[in-house]
Amino acid sequence: MGSEPRRKLVDLPVLHKFKLYSTHTNFYLIGRDEKKTFWRILKIDRTDPNELNLFEDPTRYTHDEIVQLKKWLSRGNHGGLRAKTTCYGIIGFVKFLGPYYMLVIKRKEKVGEICGHTVYGVAESEMIMIPYHSNVTTVAGSSAEQKYKNLINKVDLSKNFYFSYTYHLMYSLQNNICHTERGNIHDDNMFVWNKYLTRGIRRILQNTVWTVSLIYGFFQQTKCLVSGEEFILTLIARRSRHYAGTRYLRRGINDEGSVANEVETEQIVTKEVPEGQKILMTSIVQMRGSIPLFWSQESSVFNPQPNIILNNKDPNYKATQLHFKNLQHRYGKMIIIMNLIKTGKHRENNIGEEFRKAISFINRSMKENHLLAIHFDLNKQSQSGADGTFEHLCDYGKRALKLMNLFSGEAPSGIRAEGVINNSFFYNPFLDQDKEATSSEEEALKADIFFLQNGVLRSNCIDCLDRTNFSQYAYGLVALDNQLHRMGITGPPIVDMKNPLTKKLMETYQNMGDAISLQYAGSEAHIKMFSALRGDWNMIMKQRDKIIALRRHLYNTFQDSEKQNAINLFLGKFRPELGRPALWELPNQHYTRRNSSNLDTITLWPKLSRSVSDNLLLKGLDPKDLLLENPQPSREGLNADWETSSDIGFNEAETSSSIVNQDYLRGTGSRQMFLEVGSTSNSSVTYDVPGFSHSYDAKFITAEEMFERCSSTSSDNMFSDISESFTSTTSTDEFPPDPNPPEGFSKEFTQWVQHGRTLM
């Protein structure tokens, strides 16, 4: 079937590169497709400083036609037609107190491919004022306007923002293949971070031809060679925008059922196949999110471990129920909760007990599809050894995976930019309207679905960072073993720390953990559990974690409010208006302004040293040095200067500038997350595994070696620039000792309760 001629797909107007030209009265954005077969024009009015006026020319021009049109525009405008910038898509439009601004992608970087669809990271962005200078009001030059501009620029789009022209990156692979609705605009999805910024252009033009949809989180792709079999391992993290923010200013749940630090993680394994053959693919999705109750913590310079404050405003757990109903709508009926918080006399115990009550309350009101919960004190369990703890997590993961399954299927590999499906990923792509497709051609373009994931494993600790990331790695490792088995790839056991693939997956999850921690808590993640599992947890590692904990605490206390303001402005949670208080003047806790420049860190240092418990601080360290900008900005999230603190043991942390040998401290290499696509290992490493006659070789190639760099070089003549080219190579709130669970639970889950190990 793959050798048969395939009918050409309809060439949808996917624009890949743009050149912005200006006159006194208008901007002209000229976009072209990747193969330079057609050009289109968007006119942006510059005469009205208060309104966004856009005019889309529906004509698709040839190269010669667009050259003549440019000459005509130049002759017809006083001062001519001036080239302003080259870009790769519109991020959106924003207005503060004065004029409108346009945000564009100045440089992009290819970070991977999903079934032939290229995925890019934003490498550089630019904000351009729309009105001509003579039309700008005095408000545009005000100090308040400048503050808003500076504030939104603190959302660093060059770090961990990703997009694709032809693939719905905001959806999982299973959703892309199975959801076949047409005519939908997908920018309302909870993982699209520039929804607010694109609302104006989408409303005016009624399309998304000129804009890109940005997801925020993590993306890393690695080509693996295992026992002579090649496959592509992709890890994606999608951060929700619904209740987004910083650690102490976004806790728990809101009235709509959205939780703080909600991140969906997808692990995809695919095989490379010749053109025309179907790609064998598998994926597994899990998620993390704050405990879905109303609770908070007040940050304090003198208390790095503030008390957890429970708000009993929702005795019937309505918001909690909304949250879990939303999860069932998104992922399926089976929701398994992995609750990792501390028990006993610890400050986390109260919220843990309340979470148990909430789960029991919700289950009593449900006739079917009860929530299944595992309450597992990871910190307490780890005291008996990392190996045993990890074994328990893998055991839970195996049984959870058996209940929910994973996605597996085949899809055609020939669907690329020239055949992009605008609203659904693979489903009867748009064939030429004047020809009928044969049944064999239709079959060649359809996806074959073997298994579907029905449910999700939801993990949480207090911050949903380090303990959660370690737990997610265990589940990802178990899933990888299953994924490779589904693809016919065999070898030594995956759940074995001697296996190089196990180590590579650990490295990938650590990279993801760093990115998520930087975004939410302002620092990289602590590595105690991962380090202990590898067997390299030593005094140097411990000192590193202590320094990180202090740095996080100081940044969390004095910088997070400004970061929260930037996020709220970017997402449209706050919209500036003349005559109303500015964002930084609002008195409530979500907009409280703290100015770290007024902090006398020298006088506070003795008090800080006495206030931090669990020996988190090192005497002799100067807090001024700890407040310096991170020397590795490419590893950071939205901004460079925010960090947080947490408990020793399973802390959430970052690499300190006070320690020189970063590679040694991490136990792995230290590369820039974004420019090097998150890899922290040698680009190509071969391992021999003892016990298998040295016949099991594994090689890993990072994404930057699979794909050539995306060139951002441009010239004033957009028709002579070089196009981008790439070489792709529970029934109750816990597991009870009672062997007879309440009604409504499956036989499989009953067996799990009766015969599975349970840790309270």
Side-chain angles (χ1 to χ4, degrees), residues 422-446:
N422 202 27
N423 296 297
S424 59
F425 180 26
F426 293 112
Y427 176 73
N428 293 336
F430 309 117
L431 300 169
D432 290 338
Q433 301 300 315
D434 56 345
K435 297 181 180 179
E436 292 185 2
T438 65
S439 59
S440 61
E441 289 171 333
E442 289 178 345
E443 184 66 26
L445 294 174
K446 291 173 63 176

Side-chain angles (χ1 to χ4, degrees), residues 281-292:
M281 60 186 70
T282 68
S283 76
I284 185 74
V285 173
Q286 56 181 317
M287 60 87 60
R288 70 178 74 191
S290 189
I291 296 175

Side-chain angles (χ1 to χ4, degrees), residues 604-612 617-619:
L604 285 176
W605 174 247
K607 299 178 182 179
L608 278 170
S609 298
R610 291 193 299 268
S611 67
V612 180
L617 302 188
L618 293 177
K619 294 182 180 180

Side-chain angles (χ1 to χ4, degrees), residues 3-160:
S3 61
E4 297 178 359
R6 300 175 62 186
R7 197 173 301 280
K8 182 180 178 181
L9 303 176
V10 170
D11 189 11
L12 296 173
V14 180
L15 303 178
H16 283 253
K17 192 169 185 178
F18 307 82
K19 192 69 173 278
L20 185 65
Y21 296 88
S22 66
T23 67
H24 292 326
T25 57
N26 294 292
F27 276 131
Y28 293 94
L29 186 64
I30 303 179
R32 64 162 172 83
D33 68 328
E34 188 174 25
K35 293 186 175 181
K36 300 183 180 180
T37 59
F38 70 90
W39 282 256
R40 293 193 61 186
I41 299 179
L42 177 69
K43 184 171 74 171
I44 306 170
D45 178 55
R46 305 185 69 193
T47 60
D48 191 337
N50 299 313
E51 296 294 333
L52 181 62
N53 297 309
L54 307 173
F55 307 92
E56 183 182 34
D57 186 345
T59 307
R60 293 172 60 163
Y61 295 97
T62 65
H63 177 274
D64 293 339
E65 290 171 342
I66 205 70
V67 170
Q68 292 300 319
L69 184 59
K70 281 179 56 184
K71 292 179 179 178
W72 179 81
L73 288 173
S74 182
R75 289 195 301 265
N77 286 275
H78 178 69
L81 188 68
R82 300 184 178 221
K84 185 169 182 65
T85 190
T86 300
C87 60
Y88 297 91
I90 296 176
I91 296 171
F93 294 86
V94 65
K95 175 180 168 63
F96 307 120
L97 302 175
Y100 272 92
Y101 301 87
M102 178 170 63
L103 283 77
V104 298
I105 297 173
K106 184 73 173 176
R107 287 192 301 115
K108 65 180 180 180
E109 184 174 72
K110 185 174 181 179
V111 295
E113 284 185 355
I114 300 178
C115 302
H117 297 259
T118 303
V119 178
Y120 299 96
V122 179
E124 183 182 350
S125 62
E126 183 178 2
M127 186 164 64
I128 301 167
M129 186 172 68
I130 299 298
Y132 191 68
H133 295 292
S134 61
N135 298 323
V136 174
T137 62
T138 56
V139 177
S142 66
S143 60
E145 182 80 0
Q146 189 60 45
K147 284 183 179 180
Y148 280 121
K149 290 171 62 178
N150 293 338
L151 192 59
I152 202 169
N153 283 330
K154 289 185 179 296
V155 179
D156 192 346
L157 295 170
S158 68
K159 297 177 178 67
N160 307 123

Side-chain angles (χ1 to χ4, degrees), residues 582-645:
L583 176 57
W584 48 86
E585 296 172 344
L586 296 178
N588 67 65
Q589 64 170 339
H590 296 296
Y591 302 105
T592 302
R593 185 185 183 190
R594 296 188 180 94
N595 190 344
S596 61
S597 62
N598 296 328
L599 172 66
D600 186 349
T601 56
I602 297 300
T603 58
L604 285 176
W605 174 247
K607 299 178 182 179
L608 278 170
S609 298
R610 291 193 299 268
S611 67
V612 180
S613 60
D614 292 333
N615 297 319
L616 287 177
L617 302 188
L618 293 177
K619 294 182 180 180
L621 292 179
D622 189 345
K624 284 186 175 180
D625 294 334
L626 299 175
L627 283 169
L628 294 176
E629 183 177 359
N630 193 310
Q632 294 183 348
S634 63
R635 282 184 165 269
E636 296 162 352
L638 284 175
N639 195 9
D641 300 328
W642 296 295
E643 305 195 69
T644 183
S645 67

Side-chain angles (χ1 to χ4, degrees), residues 357-467:
K357 293 177 183 177
I359 295 171
S360 296
F361 182 91
I362 294 172
N363 278 336
R364 287 196 298 269
S365 66
M366 301 173 67
K367 295 182 180 180
E368 57 182 0
N369 302 330
H370 295 84
L371 305 175
L372 312 183
I374 307 167
H375 298 279
F376 184 70
D377 187 340
L378 184 57
N379 189 74
K380 181 179 180 180
Q381 179 64 26
S382 68
Q383 295 174 9
S384 60
D387 291 340
T389 304
F390 189 69
E391 182 181 348
H392 284 303
L393 291 173
C394 289
D395 187 47
Y396 284 130
K398 290 175 183 178
R399 285 180 252 152
L401 185 61
K402 187 176 181 181
L403 289 173
M404 295 181 299
N405 215 328
L406 51 75
F407 171 75
S408 176
E410 287 183 337
S413 62
I415 301 179
R416 297 182 182 271
E418 65 271 17
V420 61
I421 303 171
N422 202 27
N423 296 297
S424 59
F425 180 26
F426 293 112
Y427 176 73
N428 293 336
F430 309 117
L431 300 169
D432 290 338
Q433 301 300 315
D434 56 345
K435 297 181 180 179
E436 292 185 2
T438 65
S439 59
S440 61
E441 289 171 333
E442 289 178 345
E443 184 66 26
L445 294 174
K446 291 173 63 176
D448 299 319
I449 299 172
F450 305 142
F451 298 97
L452 290 174
Q453 179 177 338
N454 183 23
V456 73
L457 178 64
R458 182 200 192 279
S459 302
N460 71 265
C461 49
I462 284 295
D463 294 325
C464 301
L465 295 177
D466 300 302
R467 284 174 282 177

